[in-house]
Amino acid sequence: MNPLVSVIIPVYNVEKYLRRCLNSVIDQEYKNIEIILVNDGSTDNSLEIAISYKEKDKRIKVFSQENQGLSAARNMGLDKSHGEYITFIDSDDYVSKDYVSYMFNLLKKHNFKSPLAIASLMDVFEKNDKKINTGNNKEYTWSGKKCIEKMCYHDLVDTCAYAKLGKRELYKNFCFPIGKLFEDIGSTYRLFERSATVECGFKPIYFYNIRKNSITTGEFSAKKLDLLEMTDKMARSVNEKYPDLTSATLRRQVYARFSTLNQTLNVKNNPEVSSIRRSLISYINKNKKAILSNNNTPTRDRLAYMSLSLGFGFYKFSWLVYLKLKK
């Protein structure tokens, strides 16, 4: 029999999406799975939905905790799981029927020499159901170091906890940072650091739901600065282990500042946010020469620098136009 795979799904106020997510997991071609649902103090009907599915499928286990956030829910899922392999799914997303089998077969194809397999996302815009494939439908065996480098440049490899299938040993003494947003960037790199090789299949088997008021799309608050803390944490660790990746990690740190700057664009007449903006722009400009002289820097970074050089007003206008076109 194929080894047991633990599918860990944190649940918090997702009654609108949870059935779709669970249906996609229950319908997996790979049958030997346990489905760990961690209710993180939901105040809607999410827990009732989870329990109703548990009554229909004996592979489902439901656990509850007071609301502590996504990281704490994932950590509890790890503690309660028993699978030889582990994968995560967020409860407002859904997956293809071959989500588990595709990544497991990537490992099997190479005689399980790699402890980790990764796949790509299909970005799904909830507003109009537009879908964008973030992969290239090709397969590679890469070193963990190369995956980190690719991740830093947004080149196929994503920072997300999901769309990955890893051996349990990878998650030993592994903990998602509790109380932090953007916890993936502060933790996923460690899986790559622990993997000599990674089986990469960039087929979009994970459907990432882009919706209004999510962590990444909601209104700006000081908590959004967690992205900078998590990115800098990753950079320090990677630079210590792989000093020759400092250009790559710096690019990711600058990107984090651009991303945070973009989230402040609709905030008006707020002295605290204005101060944050000045700090972000100072960091971005301080590293301009290093970023633009790096041949691996993505074109969008170069365009962002060009727009910012024409003034903050022009930068804001160009970014909002880009968002409109993307949607």
Side-chain angles (χ1 to χ4, degrees):
M1 178 182 286
N2 285 328
L4 179 67
V5 172
S6 297
V7 181
I8 300 173
I9 307 175
V11 176
Y12 178 70
N13 287 355
V14 285
E15 61 181 5
K16 180 179 177 181
Y17 310 100
L18 186 54
R19 290 183 178 87
R20 180 181 65 182
C21 176
L22 293 180
N23 288 337
S24 73
V25 177
I26 289 170
D27 203 27
Q28 287 297 295
E29 295 172 349
Y30 191 103
K31 300 301 182 186
N32 192 25
I33 60 176
E34 62 171 3
I35 304 167
I36 309 292
L37 305 182
V38 180
N39 173 50
D40 185 40
S42 295
T43 57
D44 64 0
N45 292 317
S46 294
L47 178 58
E48 288 76 10
I49 294 170
I51 292 173
S52 71
Y53 271 79
K54 175 185 175 182
E55 293 171 350
K56 299 175 186 177
D57 194 318
K58 64 181 180 181
R59 298 175 298 174
I60 296 177
K61 303 172 184 177
V62 179
F63 302 93
S64 287
Q65 63 180 22
E66 293 183 4
N67 180 244
Q68 299 179 55
L70 181 58
S71 288
R74 286 176 176 164
N75 291 338
M76 175 181 271
L78 284 172
D79 290 341
K80 299 297 185 181
S81 65
H82 299 90
E84 185 177 336
Y85 289 89
I86 291 169
T87 188
F88 290 92
I89 299 173
D90 280 359
S91 49
D92 54 346
D93 302 329
Y94 59 102
V95 295
S96 63
K97 289 184 178 182
D98 63 344
Y99 174 74
V100 175
S101 62
Y102 176 72
M103 290 188 288
F104 180 78
N105 286 332
L106 285 174
L107 298 173
K108 184 178 181 180
K109 187 185 299 185
H110 297 277
N111 299 312
F112 302 101
K113 292 179 180 179
S114 299
L116 179 67
I118 65 175
S120 286
L121 314 184
M122 181 73 78
D123 286 346
V124 182
F125 291 85
E126 181 178 83
K127 185 175 181 179
N128 56 14
D129 201 39
K130 178 180 179 181
K131 296 180 174 64
I132 298 177
N133 180 0
T134 67
N136 64 5
N137 297 302
K138 296 181 180 180
E139 297 178 4
Y140 312 89
T141 299
W142 285 341
S143 67
K145 178 183 177 182
K146 184 169 184 177
C147 286
I148 292 174
E149 183 177 22
K150 292 279 189 177
M151 179 192 76
C152 285
Y153 289 115
H154 283 87
D155 186 3
L156 292 173
V157 179
D158 204 296
T159 64
C160 56
Y162 37 79
K164 294 169 178 63
L165 181 70
K167 290 213 68 166
R168 172 168 292 278
E169 288 77 7
L170 286 180
Y171 292 92
K172 185 177 181 180
N173 299 321
F174 183 95
C175 184
F176 291 96
I178 294 175
K180 299 295 181 180
L181 301 183
F182 308 101
E183 71 293 328
D184 293 358
I185 186 65
S187 52
T188 298
Y189 73 91
R190 294 175 60 198
L191 301 178
F192 296 133
E193 284 184 339
R194 297 177 178 188
S195 301
T197 57
V198 179
E199 303 305 334
C200 308
F202 296 113
K203 174 183 176 182
I205 56 175
Y206 186 98
F207 293 80
Y208 173 60
N209 184 31
I210 299 176
R211 58 189 176 96
K212 189 176 181 180
N213 295 326
S214 68
I215 291 174
T216 55
T217 63
E219 293 184 0
F220 179 78
S221 71
K223 281 296 291 177
K224 296 293 183 76
L225 299 178
D226 285 354
L227 175 60
L228 310 185
E229 180 184 347
M230 294 293 98
T231 304
D232 292 348
K233 173 190 173 186
M234 177 276 296
R236 288 192 298 271
S237 177
V238 170
N239 291 346
E240 183 177 347
K241 188 175 179 67
Y242 304 116
D244 56 326
L245 291 186
T246 54
S247 293
T249 57
L250 177 61
R251 183 270 158 183
R252 188 80 198 201
Q253 289 174 287
V254 169
Y255 165 81
R257 271 70 183 181
F258 268 121
S259 179
T260 305
L261 178 64
N262 294 341
Q263 297 211 22
T264 73
L265 295 184
N266 288 322
V267 181
K268 300 178 181 178
N269 303 319
N270 186 315
E272 182 179 356
V273 174
S274 295
S275 176
I276 290 171
R277 277 200 203 110
R278 288 193 293 272
S279 176
L280 294 170
I281 292 173
S282 175
Y283 186 100
I284 289 168
N285 286 332
K286 176 183 176 183
N287 293 286
K288 181 176 182 178
K289 183 176 180 180
I291 297 300
L292 294 184
S293 63
N294 183 347
N295 292 331
N296 293 318
T297 295
T299 300
R300 66 180 177 183
D301 291 23
R302 300 180 188 280
L303 292 175
Y305 265 112
M306 183 183 301
S307 296
L308 189 59
S309 69
L310 296 174
F312 178 72
F314 183 83
Y315 177 83
K316 177 179 178 179
F317 171 78
S318 61
W319 174 252
L320 295 178
V321 169
Y322 166 76
L323 281 184
K324 186 175 181 180
L325 292 174
K326 185 177 179 181
K327 293 179 181 178

